[in-house]
Amino acid sequence: MTERPSAFRLVFAPVRALFVSDASAGILLILVAVAAMLAANSPFAEDYHHLFHGLLFDASVFKLNTLHLWINDGLMAIFFFVVGLEVKREWIEGQLSTAQQRRMPVLAAAAGMAVPALVYLFFVNAEGAGELTRGWAIPAATDIAFAMGVLGLLGNRVPASLRLFLLTVAIVDDIGAVLVIALFYTAKIKLSWLVGALLVTGAMFAMNRMKVKAYWLFILAAIVLWFFVLNSGVHATIAGVVAALTIPMVGKDDHTMVEIMEHNLAPWSAYLIVPVFGFANAGVHLGDLGLAGVLAPLPLAIAAGLFVGKQIGIFSAIWAADKFGFAPRPDNASWPEIWGVSILCGIGFTMSLFISGLAFAGNALLVEEAKIGILMGSLISAVVGYTILRLTTAHPDDARSPYVD
């Protein structure tokens, strides 16, 4: 006879599950976002702002003269490096390694970037605000940690195929976001620095061809590449992606360098770098905005792009691909479940905050309004997506609660 779980375990098992499942990184980001908002609206608001934006030294000494810049242009280069490693591994030997596997995620991710951008532009152009059009890419990105975290709260109710689909769409989404940053949010190019960056990149690819397996050589070259890119006018974080693509998949002794580097760096990225970035960027002083600021065209356009645009774009792409035989929908997944996951793709945080800082650099008010829109759209997407999946998932695996040992 199976032992009946105690009331204590039934009550606290969901809390325990947050920290032993793939939900933990997403939950941490939620806590960080709440902490940032509390800090920005507390008696310590001035200290919070000065901590990240106070000058460390004169800009003429070094370009990164605030802690905020070191986080966004320095630490986040490591985050993008991990993203690049993940993309390379998935593209060469993972879930995106064949044309057939790429069809649905690529189509869904493309539609999931284009439609939110169009929804955003519809809202801001209706107000005639020309400057706001620079933010068209803000609602185009899905936050992997947040989305997978919310999905993790559902335990094994959700089919494995939908988990894999969400993950691959988010990975392709990241590729698109990186390209958008490189192509549309690049400052004036300084040719000499860019040439230096290209030479370093060429040297790293040569090391790849020679199957150099000394990690320190690639790390040293990546730091040099980051410095050249930082001064070239291209955003410094792009160096992280480029450097990751030069890492050999396999060394001379069948040493899986990409996988090992990703395995070692991913926890630092998920549990330190991204939370630090979130705490430094998610804080908004609501007193400076008021209700009018919260309901301004910019935050509403971003929220609509994330919640409305994402689900329309991704769900429509999946339905059309399945109906016309371009690519099948995820296995063992019903249309209501696919709709719920499409809504979860509207959770934008890390990449959306990052792009908002690039789109409205120098305009603090618009950056603050963009943060509000990102948080609103992400929260609505998380709650609605979770609710739909909780109500529609009914699989054999759900016969036993994932929260009970």
Side-chain angles (χ1 to χ4, degrees):
M1 182 176 177
T2 305
E3 183 182 353
R4 185 181 180 85
S6 67
F8 179 86
R9 290 178 68 194
L10 287 173
V11 171
F12 288 96
V15 178
R16 171 178 172 271
L18 297 182
F19 300 97
V20 297
S21 70
D22 56 5
S24 55
I27 296 302
L28 178 59
L29 282 185
I30 293 172
L31 296 176
V32 163
V34 171
M37 290 295 291
L38 291 175
N41 293 278
S42 72
F44 304 102
E46 187 175 343
D47 295 324
Y48 168 81
H49 184 271
H50 186 266
L51 171 65
F52 295 111
H53 297 279
L55 293 179
L56 299 175
F57 38 75
D58 192 287
S60 61
V61 177
F62 193 70
K63 186 175 181 178
L64 306 184
N65 63 340
T66 67
L67 182 58
H68 186 265
L69 287 175
W70 273 105
I71 292 170
N72 285 27
D73 291 15
L75 272 183
M76 286 301 287
I78 302 175
F79 164 79
F80 277 84
F81 181 76
V82 175
V83 169
L85 291 174
E86 183 178 27
V87 168
K88 180 169 183 174
R89 177 178 54 79
E90 291 290 347
W91 199 268
I92 293 178
E93 61 181 22
Q95 298 302 323
L96 299 172
S97 59
T98 68
Q100 185 176 5
Q101 289 175 309
R102 294 172 193 152
R103 284 181 182 177
M104 182 63 83
V106 170
L107 178 65
M113 295 185 74
V115 177
L118 292 174
V119 170
Y120 172 90
L121 291 173
F122 172 80
F123 272 82
V124 297
N125 286 332
E127 298 292 330
E131 184 181 4
L132 299 185
T133 57
R134 281 187 53 79
W136 63 270
I138 295 173
T142 297
D143 191 284
I144 296 178
F146 255 133
M148 293 301 293
V150 174
L151 205 61
L153 296 177
L154 292 159
N156 54 10
R157 294 179 61 92
V158 179
S161 61
L162 274 182
R163 291 175 178 274
L164 180 60
F165 174 75
L166 177 59
L167 182 62
T168 51
V169 167
I171 291 171
V172 178
D173 203 308
D174 280 345
I175 298 174
V178 169
L179 292 174
V180 165
I181 292 170
L183 296 174
F184 298 99
Y185 295 107
T186 293
K188 185 178 179 181
I189 298 295
K190 297 178 181 177
L191 190 58
S192 59
W193 288 101
L194 185 60
V195 170
L198 292 174
L199 291 174
V200 175
T201 302
M204 295 183 73
F205 272 113
M207 290 162 58
N208 178 306
R209 299 293 295 176
M210 293 185 290
K211 293 189 177 181
V212 173
K213 61 179 182 179
Y215 290 100
W216 68 270
L217 282 175
F218 282 100
I219 293 172
L220 180 62
I223 294 173
V224 175
L225 175 62
W226 170 81
F227 183 74
F228 276 101
V229 174
L230 174 68
N231 290 280
S232 71
V234 178
H235 199 272
T237 52
I238 300 300
V241 178
V242 174
L245 298 180
T246 68
I247 305 299
M249 284 296 296
V250 180
K252 288 183 177 179
D253 302 320
D254 291 335
H255 201 47
T256 54
M257 294 182 66
V258 165
E259 188 173 357
I260 289 176
M261 292 187 79
E262 182 188 352
H263 177 77
N264 289 332
L265 290 175
W268 291 98
S269 175
Y271 295 102
L272 178 63
I273 294 172
V274 172
V276 167
F277 169 83
F279 186 70
N281 287 272
V284 183
H285 185 53
L286 298 176
D288 292 341
L289 294 175
L291 184 60
V294 174
L295 299 178
L298 178 58
L300 291 180
I302 293 173
L306 286 170
F307 177 63
V308 179
K310 274 289 184 181
Q311 63 173 298
I312 291 176
I314 292 177
F315 186 83
S316 298
I318 298 172
W319 180 86
D322 184 73
K323 181 174 179 61
F324 296 107
F326 180 75
R329 74 191 195 199
D331 295 334
N332 302 318
S334 67
W335 285 114
E337 291 169 342
I338 292 172
W339 179 37
V341 168
S342 299
I343 294 174
L344 285 187
C345 289
I347 301 175
F349 187 75
T350 307
M351 205 69 84
S352 294
L353 287 173
F354 192 82
I355 293 174
S356 68
L358 299 178
F360 304 120
N363 193 324
L365 177 60
L366 292 183
V367 171
E368 298 294 282
E369 288 186 358
K371 293 177 185 178
I372 290 292
I374 293 166
L375 294 174
M376 284 196 305
S378 299
L379 178 62
I380 296 171
S381 297
V383 172
V384 175
Y386 174 88
T387 302
I388 290 174
L389 287 169
R390 188 67 180 82
L391 294 175
T392 59
T393 48
H395 291 270
D397 290 342
D398 192 41
R400 185 168 179 268
S401 171
Y403 300 129
V404 179
D405 292 333

